[in-house]
Amino acid sequence: MNNARVAALCLALGVLGAPVIYLLFNNVANLAIIASIMIRHDHAGHFWGLISPHGLLELTAVFVAGGVGLRLFWSWIAPG
């Protein structure tokens, strides 16, 4: 649900530009914090086992949505 929410917000707030970068940064920072906690507690295999099957596709979709949002911003700044 988090990645779907972030993708929807990136599309909706894309015209403003800065919120898209903020949302993507927060999403990656949260993933890094969770990875750090799990790796420090010797659960790296468990983390990668959970993130590999669906995380790669979901994160790709989130970054594509972020790119679309930034493209909307750029088309508003420099149309044509």
Side-chain angles (χ1 to χ4, degrees), residues 7-29:
L9 285 173
C10 283
L11 291 173
L13 298 175
V15 176
L16 301 175
V20 175
I21 295 169
Y22 176 76
L23 286 168
L24 292 176
F25 178 78
N26 272 343
N27 201 29
V28 171

Side-chain angles (χ1 to χ4, degrees), residues 2-4 6-7 23-24 26-32 47-48 51-67:
N2 177 53
N3 287 335
V6 170
L23 286 168
L24 292 176
N26 272 343
N27 201 29
V28 171
N30 286 333
L31 182 66
F47 172 76
W48 291 113
I51 200 73
S52 294
H54 71 280
L56 296 175
L57 293 174
E58 287 181 14
L59 290 175
T60 302
V62 166
F63 282 108
V64 168

Side-chain angles (χ1 to χ4, degrees), residues 66-77:
V68 170
L70 290 174
R71 185 68 176 174
L72 286 171
F73 172 69
W74 189 250
S75 67
W76 183 63
I77 295 296

